[in-house]
PDB file of all heavy atoms in Angstrom:
ATOM      1  N   ILE T  47     127.823  58.018 -37.069  1.00 96.00           N
ATOM      2  CA  ILE T  47     128.455  57.095 -38.044  1.00 96.00           C
ATOM      3  C   ILE T  47     128.404  57.710 -39.391  1.00 96.00           C
ATOM      4  O   ILE T  47     129.462  57.599 -40.195  1.00 96.00           O
ATOM      5  CB  ILE T  47     127.563  55.822 -38.057  1.00 96.00           C
ATOM      6  CG1 ILE T  47     127.729  55.093 -36.795  1.00 96.00           C
ATOM      7  CG2 ILE T  47     127.934  54.925 -39.202  1.00 96.00           C
ATOM      8  CD1 ILE T  47     126.883  53.781 -36.699  1.00 96.00           C
ATOM      9  N   LYS T  48     127.424  58.517 -39.749  1.00 95.00           N
ATOM     10  CA  LYS T  48     127.429  59.261 -41.056  1.00 95.00           C
ATOM     11  C   LYS T  48     128.623  60.149 -41.060  1.00 95.00           C
ATOM     12  O   LYS T  48     129.290  60.240 -42.136  1.00 95.00           O
ATOM     13  CB  LYS T  48     126.127  60.153 -41.077  1.00 95.00           C
ATOM     14  CG  LYS T  48     125.731  60.475 -42.442  1.00 95.00           C
ATOM     15  CD  LYS T  48     124.379  61.133 -42.458  1.00 95.00           C
ATOM     16  CE  LYS T  48     124.386  62.332 -43.371  1.00 95.00           C
ATOM     17  NZ  LYS T  48     123.213  63.299 -43.109  1.00 95.00           N
ATOM     18  N   LYS T  49     128.984  60.923 -39.986  1.00 95.00           N
ATOM     19  CA  LYS T  49     130.099  61.825 -39.963  1.00 95.00           C
ATOM     20  C   LYS T  49     131.430  61.009 -40.100  1.00 95.00           C
ATOM     21  O   LYS T  49     132.320  61.421 -40.763  1.00 95.00           O
ATOM     22  CB  LYS T  49     130.146  62.607 -38.610  1.00 95.00           C
ATOM     23  CG  LYS T  49     129.070  63.651 -38.669  1.00 95.00           C
ATOM     24  CD  LYS T  49     129.372  64.771 -39.700  1.00 95.00           C
ATOM     25  CE  LYS T  49     128.221  65.764 -39.755  1.00 95.00           C
ATOM     26  NZ  LYS T  49     128.257  66.520 -41.037  1.00 95.00           N
ATOM     27  N   LEU T  50     131.526  59.878 -39.318  1.00 95.00           N
ATOM     28  CA  LEU T  50     132.682  59.054 -39.391  1.00 95.00           C
ATOM     29  C   LEU T  50     132.981  58.592 -40.802  1.00 95.00           C
ATOM     30  O   LEU T  50     134.149  58.471 -41.290  1.00 95.00           O
ATOM     31  CB  LEU T  50     132.568  57.913 -38.458  1.00 95.00           C
ATOM     32  CG  LEU T  50     132.618  58.265 -36.948  1.00 95.00           C
ATOM     33  CD1 LEU T  50     132.207  57.057 -36.077  1.00 95.00           C
ATOM     34  CD2 LEU T  50     134.041  58.725 -36.567  1.00 95.00           C
ATOM     35  N   LEU T  51     131.934  58.321 -41.566  1.00 95.00           N
ATOM     36  CA  LEU T  51     132.120  57.813 -42.920  1.00 95.00           C
ATOM     37  C   LEU T  51     132.539  58.966 -43.785  1.00 95.00           C
ATOM     38  O   LEU T  51     133.488  58.945 -44.654  1.00 95.00           O
ATOM     39  CB  LEU T  51     130.854  57.222 -43.467  1.00 95.00           C
ATOM     40  CG  LEU T  51     130.593  55.784 -42.970  1.00 95.00           C
ATOM     41  CD1 LEU T  51     129.067  55.363 -43.171  1.00 95.00           C
ATOM     42  CD2 LEU T  51     131.401  54.847 -43.744  1.00 95.00           C
ATOM     43  N   GLU T  52     131.954  60.191 -43.576  1.00 93.00           N
ATOM     44  CA  GLU T  52     132.193  61.363 -44.415  1.00 93.00           C
ATOM     45  C   GLU T  52     133.601  61.830 -44.255  1.00 93.00           C
ATOM     46  O   GLU T  52     134.412  62.166 -45.161  1.00 93.00           O
ATOM     47  CB  GLU T  52     131.288  62.479 -44.059  1.00 93.00           C
ATOM     48  CG  GLU T  52     129.880  62.328 -44.646  1.00 93.00           C
ATOM     49  CD  GLU T  52     128.908  63.388 -44.060  1.00 93.00           C
ATOM     50  OE1 GLU T  52     129.356  64.215 -43.307  1.00 93.00           O
ATOM     51  OE2 GLU T  52     127.708  63.343 -44.435  1.00 93.00           O
ATOM     52  N   LYS T  53     134.076  61.814 -42.914  1.00 94.00           N
ATOM     53  CA  LYS T  53     135.408  62.281 -42.617  1.00 94.00           C
ATOM     54  C   LYS T  53     136.586  61.229 -42.949  1.00 94.00           C
ATOM     55  O   LYS T  53     137.710  61.522 -42.902  1.00 94.00           O
ATOM     56  CB  LYS T  53     135.553  62.535 -41.091  1.00 94.00           C
ATOM     57  CG  LYS T  53     134.768  63.723 -40.660  1.00 94.00           C
ATOM     58  CD  LYS T  53     135.066  64.179 -39.181  1.00 94.00           C
ATOM     59  CE  LYS T  53     134.472  63.096 -38.266  1.00 94.00           C
ATOM     60  NZ  LYS T  53     134.678  63.497 -36.828  1.00 94.00           N
ATOM     61  N   GLY T  54     136.140  59.994 -43.313  1.00 95.00           N
ATOM     62  CA  GLY T  54     137.098  58.934 -43.690  1.00 95.00           C
ATOM     63  C   GLY T  54     137.644  58.310 -42.462  1.00 95.00           C
ATOM     64  O   GLY T  54     138.703  57.550 -42.550  1.00 95.00           O
ATOM     65  N   ALA T  55     137.062  58.381 -41.339  1.00 96.00           N
ATOM     66  CA  ALA T  55     137.556  57.649 -40.176  1.00 96.00           C
ATOM     67  C   ALA T  55     137.291  56.182 -40.391  1.00 96.00           C
ATOM     68  O   ALA T  55     138.045  55.265 -40.020  1.00 96.00           O
ATOM     69  CB  ALA T  55     136.811  58.094 -38.841  1.00 96.00           C
ATOM     70  N   ILE T  56     136.113  55.864 -40.961  1.00 97.00           N
ATOM     71  CA  ILE T  56     135.780  54.489 -41.529  1.00 97.00           C
ATOM     72  C   ILE T  56     136.089  54.522 -42.951  1.00 97.00           C
ATOM     73  O   ILE T  56     135.521  55.235 -43.831  1.00 97.00           O
ATOM     74  CB  ILE T  56     134.352  54.110 -41.243  1.00 97.00           C
ATOM     75  CG1 ILE T  56     134.070  54.191 -39.811  1.00 97.00           C
ATOM     76  CG2 ILE T  56     134.025  52.844 -41.831  1.00 97.00           C
ATOM     77  CD1 ILE T  56     132.566  54.018 -39.451  1.00 97.00           C
ATOM     78  N   ASP T  57     137.030  53.618 -43.344  1.00 97.00           N
ATOM     79  CA  ASP T  57     137.297  53.521 -44.764  1.00 97.00           C
ATOM     80  C   ASP T  57     136.256  52.642 -45.464  1.00 97.00           C
ATOM     81  O   ASP T  57     135.556  53.160 -46.419  1.00 97.00           O
ATOM     82  CB  ASP T  57     138.688  52.775 -44.989  1.00 97.00           C
ATOM     83  CG  ASP T  57     139.011  52.773 -46.417  1.00 97.00           C
ATOM     84  OD1 ASP T  57     138.670  51.845 -47.088  1.00 97.00           O
ATOM     85  OD2 ASP T  57     139.896  53.652 -46.763  1.00 97.00           O
ATOM     86  N   HIS T  58     136.031  51.471 -45.027  1.00 97.00           N
ATOM     87  CA  HIS T  58     134.856  50.688 -45.520  1.00 97.00           C
ATOM     88  C   HIS T  58     134.561  49.543 -44.583  1.00 97.00           C
ATOM     89  O   HIS T  58     135.316  49.221 -43.683  1.00 97.00           O
ATOM     90  CB  HIS T  58     134.965  50.276 -46.930  1.00 97.00           C
ATOM     91  CG  HIS T  58     136.055  49.176 -47.193  1.00 97.00           C
ATOM     92  ND1 HIS T  58     137.377  49.500 -47.370  1.00 97.00           N
ATOM     93  CD2 HIS T  58     135.905  47.906 -47.322  1.00 97.00           C
ATOM     94  CE1 HIS T  58     138.040  48.437 -47.596  1.00 97.00           C
ATOM     95  NE2 HIS T  58     137.160  47.401 -47.553  1.00 97.00           N
ATOM     96  N   TYR T  59     133.385  48.929 -44.802  1.00 97.00           N
ATOM     97  CA  TYR T  59     132.928  47.770 -44.078  1.00 97.00           C
ATOM     98  C   TYR T  59     133.423  46.519 -44.856  1.00 97.00           C
ATOM     99  O   TYR T  59     133.436  46.523 -46.093  1.00 97.00           O
ATOM    100  CB  TYR T  59     131.382  47.709 -43.895  1.00 97.00           C
ATOM    101  CG  TYR T  59     130.841  48.777 -43.058  1.00 97.00           C
ATOM    102  CD1 TYR T  59     130.986  50.136 -43.246  1.00 97.00           C
ATOM    103  CD2 TYR T  59     130.123  48.389 -41.859  1.00 97.00           C
ATOM    104  CE1 TYR T  59     130.485  51.019 -42.400  1.00 97.00           C
ATOM    105  CE2 TYR T  59     129.587  49.251 -41.063  1.00 97.00           C
ATOM    106  CZ  TYR T  59     129.801  50.559 -41.251  1.00 97.00           C
ATOM    107  OH  TYR T  59     129.151  51.509 -40.417  1.00 97.00           O
TER     108      TYR T  59
END
Side-chain angles (χ1 to χ4, degrees):
Chain T
I47 292 180
K48 201 175 139 197
K49 287 296 174 197
L50 289 170
L51 282 164
E52 285 170 5
K53 290 188 292 187
I56 298 174
D57 186 279
H58 69 275
Y59 287 63

